[in-house]
Amino acid sequence: MFPMAKNALSCLQDQSIMQQAMAMQNHQEQTPDFHYKYGNTVLASGATFCVALCAYAATQTGIECILSPAGSITPKEWRDQ
């Protein structure tokens, strides 16, 4: 029975320590972090960069997009041997 009472007392002490830590956290001034301050700006600038890069690649590099292979693939003539 003694170890069980000891464990129960330990749990109560741990809970009181956690409550004290949470109370201290709640009293501290909350400052916005980097993601809260600059998250949308970083997201928008990254999206703009990707769109600009894709637009440059599509217009300036001469890459042709072939959406459908129909008509671009021609079968070879059949040869009997």
Side-chain angles (χ1 to χ4, degrees):
M1 186 71 179
F2 181 73
M4 188 183 250
K6 186 177 177 182
N7 286 339
L9 182 61
S10 174
C11 287
L12 289 175
Q13 288 174 346
D14 291 343
Q15 286 178 358
S16 67
I17 290 170
M18 290 297 293
Q19 287 173 352
Q20 288 175 358
M22 289 180 67
M24 287 178 61
Q25 248 182 357
N26 289 338
H27 289 295
Q28 291 177 353
E29 187 175 323
Q30 297 290 328
T31 58
D33 62 351
F34 177 83
H35 299 287
Y36 180 77
K37 281 182 167 180
Y38 306 110
N40 290 335
T41 306
V42 171
L43 180 66
S45 62
T48 303
F49 175 77
C50 288
V51 167
L53 188 65
C54 289
Y56 174 79
T59 59
Q60 301 297 319
T61 59
I63 297 174
E64 295 180 9
C65 294
I66 302 172
L67 299 177
S68 173
S72 62
I73 299 173
T74 55
K76 293 181 180 179
E77 290 293 325
W78 180 261
R79 293 183 294 167
D80 285 327
Q81 289 190 13

